[in-house]
Every structure is written in structure tokens, then in C-alpha cells.
Amino acid sequence: MTQSPGAAASRYAQRYGTVRRRGLTRRSAGLLVAAVLVVVVIGVAVFAWSGNQATVTFKDVGYTTPDAWHASEDFQVTKEASATAYCAVKALDDSFAVVGWKQLEFGPVAGASGQRTQNAHVDLRTESQAVSVVVDSCWVAGT
């Protein structure tokens, strides 16, 4: 004896009740929309805030390594004129080990506004012969 699928489903529905398939209630839909809006507003706020962070950039211009105990670097730093920035300069040997290091401070430029580029020169004392000198990183004070 075989039953059709419709008859079996009808018999189960009579015994156990029908399964109700409901969509979202008005309250659930409202809460979902509110949650999505909160996430979007937070995302926009974070995006806008991150774009307003003070930035500093640098460009290596050249370096010299006259002997095993000295090295120098010329570079440019571009930053907001009212900001204070720091840059770390390092001298490297032929195995990329740091043999000299110095941190420089670039204070606010009096009476200026907007982005300003400053030329910088730094002399380093080294532990051994350096084969290159580079600006490792620059950052704005307090960030």
C-alpha cells in the first residue's frame, strides 16, 4: 500500500498540526532596520574621523657613509604646519642590521598653516660601517 505525498502530509498535519511559516513581524523588521542604520552611522563616523587624522610623510633625498663611525642622511618631511612630528632615522650595515639610529623632532612652524615641507639633515654615529641610511618612520606627536 502506497500513499501519495499529499495524503501523508495531510495525515501528519491532522496529527501534529500545521507548520506556520511566518515572515518577520513588524517589530522584528523595525529592530532590524534600526540596527542596520546604527551600523551605517557608526561606519560613516569612523570613516570621517580617520580621514581627519594629522599625517606626516617623508622622502629620502640622499645619504653618505664617509667612514665606519659616521653616516648622514638628507630627507624631506611634509606635515601640518601646526603639528609636531617625529622621525626615526637608521643606518644599516650590509646584513641589514641597525648600526646607528636617531630620532628627530619637527615642531610647529610659526605663522604658517596647511601642509609644509621641511628639509632635514641628520648626522649619525655608527657602530660599524653603514652601507645605507634611511628614514624608518615618521609620526605626529600624540597619535
Side-chain angles (χ1 to χ4, degrees):
M1 170 172 172
T2 59
Q3 293 182 354
S4 67
S10 174
R11 191 175 84 226
Y12 291 132
Q14 288 173 356
R15 180 180 287 177
Y16 301 111
T18 58
V19 177
R20 291 189 202 173
R21 296 183 188 245
R22 296 188 305 183
L24 292 175
T25 64
R26 285 185 66 118
R27 180 174 180 198
S28 297
L31 289 174
L32 182 62
V33 168
V36 168
L37 285 174
V38 167
V39 169
V40 167
V41 168
I42 289 173
V44 168
V46 167
F47 182 74
W49 178 76
S50 67
N52 290 331
Q53 291 294 318
T55 59
V56 60
T57 60
F58 60 89
K59 178 181 178 184
D60 288 308
V61 175
Y63 68 91
T64 59
T65 57
D67 58 40
W69 312 114
H70 300 91
S72 64
E73 167 82 356
D74 293 308
F75 63 101
Q76 295 177 334
V77 176
T78 303
K79 65 174 188 64
E80 188 67 33
S82 61
T84 298
Y86 296 95
C87 292
V89 179
K90 63 183 180 180
L92 305 171
D93 67 7
D94 56 358
S95 64
F96 302 106
V98 177
V99 294
W101 184 87
K102 190 178 269 189
Q103 179 176 310
L104 297 158
E105 178 179 346
F106 298 90
V109 179
S113 63
Q115 293 282 320
R116 294 287 183 217
T117 300
Q118 296 174 273
N119 292 321
H121 175 84
V122 60
D123 292 315
L124 301 171
R125 300 199 66 183
T126 59
E127 297 174 353
S128 61
Q129 181 67 47
V131 296
S132 67
V133 183
V134 296
V135 178
D136 182 53
S137 62
C138 291
W139 62 95
V140 175
T143 58

